[in-house]
Amino acid sequence: NDVVPQSRESLFTEHKLQTSTLDNASEARHLNGTPDWIFGVLVVLLILLSVLINTLSIKTTEIIQALFNPRVLYRLLRDTNTRDLRPLLPMALINMATIALVPFAIKIPSLMQTPLDGLAYFGIALAGLIFYFFVRNGCVHLLGAIFENSPATSIYIANTYIFDYISGMIALPMLMLVSYCTLPKGLVYTFGGLLGLLMLMRLVRGIFLTISNVKNSKFYLFYYLCIC
C-alpha cells in the first residue's frame, strides 16, 4: 500500500494567524469609525486616572460628599491647607482631554480623515480647553482680588474642581464604551444627560457658594456667571 504523505503545518502558520488577528482587530476599529490613535490616548488617560485616584490624599468618597454637602467642601479646604483644592487639578486636565475626544467618539466625518489630522484637531481642542480653563480661573481670582473677596473666589474654583473630578470619573469610561461598543441609544442619552446635570449642578452650586461667602455687593455675581 502506498503511504499518503501528510502535509506538515508551516512553523510560520501560528505567527501568520496572530498577525491576521491583529489586522482584523485594527480593521474592526476602522470599520467602527474610531481611529487607532484614540485607543492609545484613552489607555493613557485611564492609567493616569487610576494613578491619581490611588495617590491622591483626598478620598473619592469625600469628594462625592463634598458634591452635595458644602460643609465637607469647607473641611477639605481646611484639611488640605490649599486655597482652592489645587491637588484636584490633574483630574480637571484629564476631564478636558476627555471632552476634547468627544467629537471623535461621535464620529464627526470631517475629523476622521487621517490619524495625523485627528491628532492635530485633538491637540488644538485640548490646548483651547486648557487655555480657557486657566484664563477663567485667573479672571475669577482677579475679580476676587479687585473686590477684596478672595475666599469666595477660592471656594468657587474649588467647587469647579470637585465637579471636574466627578465628571472625569464618569465621562472617561463612558467614552471608552461609546468608542468601541455598540450601546443602546437610551444608555448613551442617559450618560449624556447625567453629565449635563452635573454641569447644571456646578453652575447652581457656584452661584450658591458665591452668594453665601460674598462680603461686599452681590452685583458682581454677574461677572462670575459670565465666565462659568
Side-chain angles (χ1 to χ4, degrees):
N1 296 332
D2 295 334
V3 177
V4 178
Q6 298 180 353
S7 60
R8 298 182 61 183
E9 197 173 278
S10 171
L11 294 175
F12 299 99
T13 301
E14 183 178 355
H15 174 72
K16 291 179 179 179
L17 289 174
Q18 291 176 350
T19 303
S20 177
T21 302
L22 293 175
D23 291 341
N24 290 338
S26 178
E27 182 180 356
R29 287 198 295 269
H30 283 296
L31 291 175
N32 189 39
T34 305
D36 290 335
W37 63 267
I38 292 183
F39 182 76
V41 174
L42 287 172
V43 169
V44 171
L45 292 177
L46 285 172
I47 292 174
L48 293 176
L49 176 64
S50 177
V51 171
L52 179 63
I53 292 175
N54 287 282
T55 58
L56 194 64
S57 59
I58 307 174
K59 296 181 180 179
T60 301
T61 53
E62 293 177 322
I63 295 175
I64 295 176
Q65 291 173 5
L67 190 69
F68 302 99
N69 190 344
R71 293 182 180 179
V72 178
L73 175 60
Y74 300 147
R75 179 173 60 80
L76 288 178
L77 284 168
R78 183 180 65 254
D79 293 346
T80 56
N81 195 26
T82 58
R83 184 173 61 174
D84 50 17
L85 291 184
R86 197 156 297 179
L88 299 182
L89 175 60
M91 179 59 86
L93 298 176
I94 291 175
N95 189 44
M96 284 183 276
T98 304
I99 294 174
L101 281 175
V102 168
F104 301 96
I106 62 178
K107 304 174 181 63
I108 296 179
S110 60
L111 300 178
M112 314 300 286
Q113 297 173 359
T114 66
L116 183 59
D117 288 343
L119 279 171
Y121 282 122
F122 169 70
I124 293 171
L126 180 57
L129 289 172
I130 293 175
F131 176 78
Y132 165 77
F133 177 83
F134 284 106
V135 169
R136 182 198 65 186
N137 285 2
C139 289
V140 171
H141 279 304
L142 179 61
L143 288 173
I146 291 174
F147 290 98
E148 299 180 350
N149 202 58
S150 294
T153 58
S154 296
I155 293 173
Y156 177 88
I157 292 178
N159 178 67
T160 63
Y161 283 152
I162 291 289
F163 278 89
D164 284 340
Y165 186 97
I166 301 300
S167 297
M169 289 189 63
I170 296 175
L172 185 55
M174 180 188 72
L175 192 63
M176 178 73 82
L177 291 175
V178 170
S179 298
Y180 298 105
C181 300
T182 303
L183 300 177
K185 288 186 177 180
L187 183 59
V188 176
Y189 292 149
T190 300
F191 278 132
L194 181 58
L195 292 176
L197 179 61
L198 283 174
M199 293 179 63
L200 179 61
M201 287 178 59
R202 191 192 75 172
L203 175 61
V204 175
R205 176 78 171 276
I207 297 173
F208 170 77
L209 290 174
T210 304
I211 292 176
S212 301
N213 294 276
V214 73
K215 295 179 180 178
N216 301 318
S217 173
K218 295 179 177 60
F219 175 76
Y220 69 92
L221 175 64
F222 168 78
Y223 295 100
Y224 289 112
L225 297 180
C226 290
I227 56 178
C228 63

